[in-house]
Amino acid sequence: QDLILTQGVNVIAGDFVTDACEPTGGLSAANYVPHISMCVGDTLGDRTRYPYTFRNSAPMSDVYDFMWLYMQYFNFRAAILLYTSDGFGTTLNNIKDNAQQEGRGSA
């Protein structure tokens, strides 16, 4: 924070990892400095907490929705979904849930 105040920094650029972007986004909000990042975490869409954070990548929840639409459009008959048990994997698991709701998937 001292660098922002003493060195006249007027933009923060980076990162791709949400765990790094959340504190950086908070720092930018506290100092009214834009934060430009490639972070994809859904939490960064909270305009109250991160009013000066601007992303050049879609949030992961949107990415998975598009992935599901792509699978529907091409009418794939079978798919293997690889995902982790963290927040990103849990969101990807929603594709499996969507398929099951449409009677197109199994566990």
Side-chain angles (χ1 to χ4, degrees):
Q1 186 167 4
D2 289 343
L3 280 176
I4 292 174
L5 298 175
T6 61
Q7 299 298 316
V9 172
N10 57 7
V11 68
I12 300 170
D15 190 11
F16 185 77
V17 180
T18 299
D19 288 346
C21 288
E22 287 176 345
T24 307
L27 182 64
S28 77
N31 290 280
Y32 309 100
V33 174
H35 172 225
I36 303 166
S37 79
M38 297 179 292
C39 290
V40 293
D42 291 326
T43 57
L44 294 167
D46 182 342
R47 303 311 295 158
T48 303
R49 291 180 63 196
Y50 307 107
Y52 296 98
T53 296
F54 304 94
R55 297 185 283 193
N56 61 2
S57 302
M60 286 310 289
S61 58
D62 289 351
V63 170
Y64 294 134
D65 289 343
F66 289 126
M67 188 184 298
W68 174 243
L69 291 172
Y70 183 84
M71 292 169 70
Q72 286 180 309
Y73 179 80
F74 286 101
N75 198 27
F76 291 121
R77 294 181 307 129
I80 295 174
L81 298 175
L82 304 174
Y83 56 91
T84 60
S85 59
D86 62 7
F88 291 122
T90 302
T91 305
L92 182 58
N93 192 29
N94 291 339
I95 291 175
K96 179 183 65 120
D97 294 340
N98 289 339
Q100 288 174 333
Q101 287 174 7
E102 290 188 12
R104 297 178 61 168
S106 60

